[in-house]
Structure formats: C-alpha cells, structure tokens
C-alpha cells in the first residue's frame, strides 16, 4: 500500500501466528518470560552465539508445569508429554520468527533476532502503558529543541523531539476513545458500590491524562508550545538548518540530499502539529464532561431506585389479594372513573392524494432550433482524428515539416485544431514526454508535434502562444 509503514520488511511475516491462536494468552506470557529471563535488558548478558536449545525448552517446561490447561490446536494434544509440548512450542516460536536457531558445532544454539526483541519490547511497553503525563513530554521536546538551536545537539535531538510530539498527539487523540469505551463496562457493575469503586479506580486514575487537572493553568508546560513552535521555525529558516540537514544526510539517508530534505521536513511538520493540541484537548474535555454526566445520572438512578423492586412488587400483590374489599377502595368520588368520552379521539390518517401521470409537453419550434444550434456548436468545438488529419494534411508539405506560423485559421474548426496541436506540443515538452494513456495521442496519427521555443510567442491573430512544429512520421520498411 502506498504510504504505509513496511512492517513485514522488518519483522517476519508469520510473527503474529502464535498471538492469533487459541492459546494466544499462554503464548504471550511465555514470550514475556523468555524475554525477561534470557533476551531482555534485565536478563544476564547473553552469550554471543545464544543459549543452548535445552535451556529454552526447560524454561518452557517450567511454565507448562504451573500454567494449564491449554487448548488443543495444530494436532498437539494438551495431555502430551511435557518435553514434547515444550519442543513443539519452541518450534512454533522458531517458525514464526520469534526465535532463531543455529548450529554451532554439535550444539543447537537459540537467540532472539535484535529487531524482533525490539518489537517485543515495544509490545510490552504498549501493554503496560499508563496515563499520559503531558508536562513531561512537553518539557522534553522543548529541552531537546533548545539544544539544537544553541548548537549543543544535532539532528538526532530534533528527530527525537519530532517523534515525541507525534506520540503525544497520538496519546491525546486515543484518550477520547478510552473514555467512550469505558462507560459500557462500568454500567455493567452489579452494585452502586462496585460502580463507584470502578469509577474512581479505573476512570479517574488510569484513563485520564496524569496531569489533566494542571493542563489549563498558566504555568503548565503546555503553555510553552509557542516557544517550541518558534524554535522549530528558527531551525527551519535559520543558520542551524544546514548543520541539521547534514546530520540527516550522513546518519539517516546515506548521503542522499533529497531524502534528507524530506526527512527534515517531516520532523518539522510533526513539531508544527503541536498547534492542533488545543483541538485534541477540547475534544477530550467534551468526552470527559459527557462521561461525568452519564456517571452521575447512573449513580443517581442507582441511589433512587429500590434495590429489590421485583420483591417489593410481589409483596404488594400478595397484600392486595389478602386485603378486605373496604381497604382496597380508591379514595375518589362515586361515579365513572373513566369514560369513553374522556378518551382522546383516534387519529385519522388523511386520505392519500390521487396521483396522475406527468403530462408530456412537446418542444416548441424555438426550443428545437436552439437544441440544433447547441449540437452544431458542440460539434464545431469537437476535434476528431479525421478533423485533425484533414487540417494537418492541408498544411504539412512533402518534406515532412511545417511551422506553427504557417498554419492558417479560416474557421472555428481550424482554431480548435490549432489549439489541440498546441496542447500536444506543450504536453510533449513535459518530462517523460507524452504519456501513452493521454487521450490526445489518438489524434496524432502519422505525425508528431514538437515545441520549438517555449519562451518565444507566436501571434496569429487569434492566439498568442509558443511556437511549435509538426513533423511527418515516415514509415520504415
């Protein structure tokens, strides 16, 4: 797809297979444990050639001993021997690309590819993501840009600041979706106390921006986004642009100046997107207000409504059946309590309007004459292949070349043919020449049009346009 990130050029194509199976939860926990114990930053330094296969399968066996049952999938029964199951899981991770197995001498050594380890670390970070603290990100962006402006850092600081600005906007835009998705889950609470606990524990503490209450204060770092945008403009147009562009070309694009220019423009564009942060905060405020109104209405309903309405209704029915007649008499005056004359009359649907066919009106002679004139006007402006062949054939000499100054214009059809030839000349002058799918190519049969001088104008009394020449295409034997 055009413009999409090339994910499967970086990670193996089948890497999501274990995480899309029936045992995806077990596979995810196993990958996290292997990453934490062998391949992650908290694990001991791995040997250069990797770990022995037996060490990895032993770690999988330890997990299988304490985490069962597993679903039956891919002909691997959950009641198979422990070592068989561990080896089957190892093979599945290896086939999917999570693990890499190499033979070193007589031993089978297992490692995790660096890009896959980085991808797994990103997934773990995403799964453990908490509330966003906007102030920290804004301070970091401002500090890095100041380092670039003052010459104490290069393009690496600018690129990191741009990435942080993009992540900040993505976090704020997704926060509204979290607020809207939370309300149906809270509404399923069985009691008012459970709803209130979930509301304050999950909604306020986990789904809000961590410093949301401070966002609209004058001294909040978000108010410094004007300074951030000013430094971005200074880098874009100031003396530091050449140094930053050189860093991009040297470290990110292998000396390609064009790609470096595009990469720098992308980083600056991401920083300028901070101007839209008020839109995201305004939408977040509206979602939070709506969520607050729904939560208060739900709590008010829970507190006002009887806890066991069905029990109370059953008790009232039993009391009414057991009560004497005098106790059930309504305290109203004698007479008819309800009468048909007091009821609202039924609504009468109005009768449908009788429909008739549309009358056919014959055009007048004037309308027919105007229509015929319109057809003649359109035909006079239309240039077909036959019209073009007749016009060019009148002027193209035997030597096979004619200049545009020698073309005669005696009618509207001649003027339209001249305009079409001029368009062919201009389009042929573009980079790559006249495209094959250009609809004008079907008009140039047996000749080609060449732009003589795009700067020199030729005035034939009707058009003042660049000069062009028509060349006959000679058929080769």
């Amino acid at each position: 797809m055009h413009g999409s990130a090339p994910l499967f050029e970086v990670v193996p194509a089948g890497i999501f297979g274990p995480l899309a199976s029936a045992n995806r939860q077990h596979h995810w926990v196993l990958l996290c444990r292997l990453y934490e114990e062998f391949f992650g930053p908290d694990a001991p330094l791995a040997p250069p050639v990797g770990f022995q296969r037996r060490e990895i399968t032993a770690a999988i066996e330890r997990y299988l001993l304490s985490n069962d049952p597993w679903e039956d999938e891919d002909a691997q029964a959950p009641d198979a021997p422990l070592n068989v199951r561990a080896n089957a899981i190892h093979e599945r991770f290896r086939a999917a690309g999570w693990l890499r197995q190499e033979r070193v001498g007589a031993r089978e050594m297992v490692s995790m590819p660096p890009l896959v380890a980085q991808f797994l670390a990103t997934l773990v970070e995403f799964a453990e993501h908490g509330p966003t603290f906007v102030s920290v990100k804004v301070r970091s962006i401002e500090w890095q840009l100041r380092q670039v402006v003052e010459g104490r850092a290069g393009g690496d600081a600018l690129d990191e600041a741009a990435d942080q600005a993009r992540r900040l906007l993505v976090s704020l835009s997704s926060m509204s979706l979290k607020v809207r998705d939370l309300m149906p889950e809270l509404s399923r609470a069985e009691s008012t106390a459970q709803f209130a606990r979930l509301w304050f524990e999950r909604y306020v503490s986990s789904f809000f921006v961590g410093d949301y209450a401070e966002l609209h204060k004058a001294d909040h770092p978000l108010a410094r986004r004007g300074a951030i945008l000013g430094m971005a403009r200074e880098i874009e147009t100031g003396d530091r642009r050449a140094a930053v562009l050189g860093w991009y070309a040297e470290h990110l694009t292998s000396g390609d100046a064009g790609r470096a220019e595009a990469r720098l423009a992308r980083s600056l564009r991401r920083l300028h997107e901070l101007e839209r942060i008020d839109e995201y905060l305004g939408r977040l405020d509206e979602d939070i207000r709506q969520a607050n109104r729904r939560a208060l209405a739900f709590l008010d309903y829970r507190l006002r409504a009887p806890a066991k309405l069905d029990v109370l209704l059953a008790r009232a029915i039993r009391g009414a059946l057991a009560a004497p007649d005098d106790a059930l008499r309504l305290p109203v005056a004698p007479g008819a309590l309800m009468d048909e004359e007091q009821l609202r009359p039924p609504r009468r649907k109005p009768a449908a309007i009788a429909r008739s066919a549309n009358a056919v009106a014959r055009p007048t002679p004037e309308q027919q004459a105007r229509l015929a004139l319109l057809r003649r006007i359109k035909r006079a402006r239309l240039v077909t292949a036959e019209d073009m062949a007749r016009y060019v054939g009148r002027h193209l000499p035997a030597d096979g070349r004619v200049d545009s100054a020698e073309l005669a214009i005696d009618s509207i059809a001649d003027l339209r043919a001249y305009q079409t030839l001029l368009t062919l000349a201009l389009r042929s002058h573009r980079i790559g020449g006249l495209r094959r799918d250009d609809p004008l190519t079907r008009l140039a049969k047996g000749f080609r049009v060449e732009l003589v001088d795009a700067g020199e104008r030729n005035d034939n009394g009707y058009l003042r346009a660049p000069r062009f020449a028509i060349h006959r295409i000679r058929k080769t034997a």
Side-chain angles (χ1 to χ4, degrees), residues 148 154-155 158 234-250 260-261 264 268:
V148 178
L158 176 63
E234 183 177 352
I235 295 173
E236 186 175 6
T237 59
D239 299 335
R240 292 289 299 159
R241 177 184 175 85
V244 174
L245 187 61
W247 186 93
Y248 272 73
E250 180 181 356
E261 186 79 28
L264 176 59
L268 293 172

Side-chain angles (χ1 to χ4, degrees), residues 3 31 52 62 133 270 364 366 375 410 431 456:
L31 287 172
Q52 293 190 31
R62 289 195 299 271
F133 289 88
R270 288 184 173 182
T364 63
E366 180 182 356
R375 291 197 188 103
D410 301 328
I431 297 176
E456 182 180 350

Side-chain angles (χ1 to χ4, degrees), residues 124-167:
V124 172
E125 180 184 357
F126 176 79
E128 296 175 350
H129 177 70
T132 302
F133 289 88
V134 178
S135 60
V136 176
K137 294 185 180 294
V138 173
R139 284 194 184 97
S140 177
I141 295 170
E142 182 183 8
W143 181 82
Q144 293 188 77
L145 287 182
R146 196 171 301 281
Q147 299 294 311
V148 178
V149 171
E150 295 176 358
R152 289 180 288 180
D156 53 344
L158 176 63
D159 195 60
E160 177 62 25
D163 290 341
Q164 289 193 25
R166 170 56 60 89
R167 288 195 294 268

Side-chain angles (χ1 to χ4, degrees), residues 32-66:
C32 291
R33 287 198 177 186
L34 293 176
Y35 179 75
E36 180 179 356
E37 185 175 349
F38 296 99
F39 310 109
D42 298 329
L45 187 62
V49 294
F51 297 92
Q52 293 190 31
R53 176 188 171 105
R54 180 56 194 161
E55 296 182 52
I56 304 298
T57 56
I60 298 176
E61 289 178 10
R62 289 195 299 271
Y63 174 77
L64 294 177
L65 282 173
S66 57

Side-chain angles (χ1 to χ4, degrees), residues 379-395 407-425 440 443 447 449 460 463 468 470:
R379 178 60 187 90
R381 294 178 178 177
L382 180 64
V383 180
T384 64
E386 293 77 10
D387 297 336
M388 183 62 70
R390 284 193 296 269
Y391 182 73
V392 173
R394 282 172 25 210
H395 302 88
L407 298 178
I409 300 177
D410 301 328
S411 63
I412 296 295
D414 291 351
L415 179 60
R416 286 291 297 121
Y418 184 91
Q419 289 177 325
T420 305
L421 290 171
L422 175 61
T423 304
L424 277 168
L440 293 182
L443 301 181
F447 65 90
V449 187
N460 57 11
L463 290 175
F468 59 90
I470 305 174

